[in-house]
């Protein structure tokens, strides 16, 4: 069976430098903070909104600051 995703991409994409199970508490706090920023940058680079739940309402937030209730 032919692989859909080449091994090179599996190795270089989505790898963490350190396992969260062995991180110190300070490292985990910094990792979680950076994770949010990285997700936001990734979504906006692909022209996608950040979608989240707030007060029982679904919200789409775009890079230009536009907020849309969905």
């Amino acid at each position: 069976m032919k692989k859909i995703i080449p091994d090179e991409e599996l190795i270089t994409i989505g790898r963490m430098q350190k396992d969260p199970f062995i991180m110190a508490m300070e490292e985990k706090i910094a990792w979680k903070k950076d994770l949010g920023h990285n997700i936001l940058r990734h979504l906006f680079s692909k022209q996608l909104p950040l979608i989240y739940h707030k007060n029982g309402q679904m919200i789409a937030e775009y890079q230009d600051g536009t907020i849309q209730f969905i």
Side-chain angles (χ1 to χ4, degrees):
M1 178 161 47
K2 184 179 177 185
K3 290 184 178 181
I4 296 172
I5 302 173
D7 287 337
E8 303 85 48
E9 290 183 25
L10 290 174
I11 292 169
T12 58
I13 296 173
R15 292 285 182 168
M16 294 186 64
Q17 293 179 359
K18 193 170 185 182
D19 188 347
F21 291 108
I22 60 172
M23 285 183 185
M25 187 55 70
E26 297 82 22
E27 291 175 309
K28 282 184 184 180
I29 292 168
W31 170 62
K32 287 180 181 180
K33 182 179 176 184
D34 288 342
L35 185 62
H37 293 294
N38 291 340
I39 291 169
L40 196 59
R41 270 186 267 145
H42 178 75
L43 287 172
F44 289 166
S45 73
K46 300 211 179 268
Q47 304 301 317
L48 297 171
L50 173 65
I51 298 176
Y52 55 93
H53 229 192
K54 186 174 183 181
N55 298 329
Q57 188 112 50
M58 291 292 288
I59 298 173
E61 186 174 334
Y62 294 87
Q63 185 175 7
D64 64 359
T66 305
I67 295 178
Q68 180 181 15
F69 295 99
I70 51 177

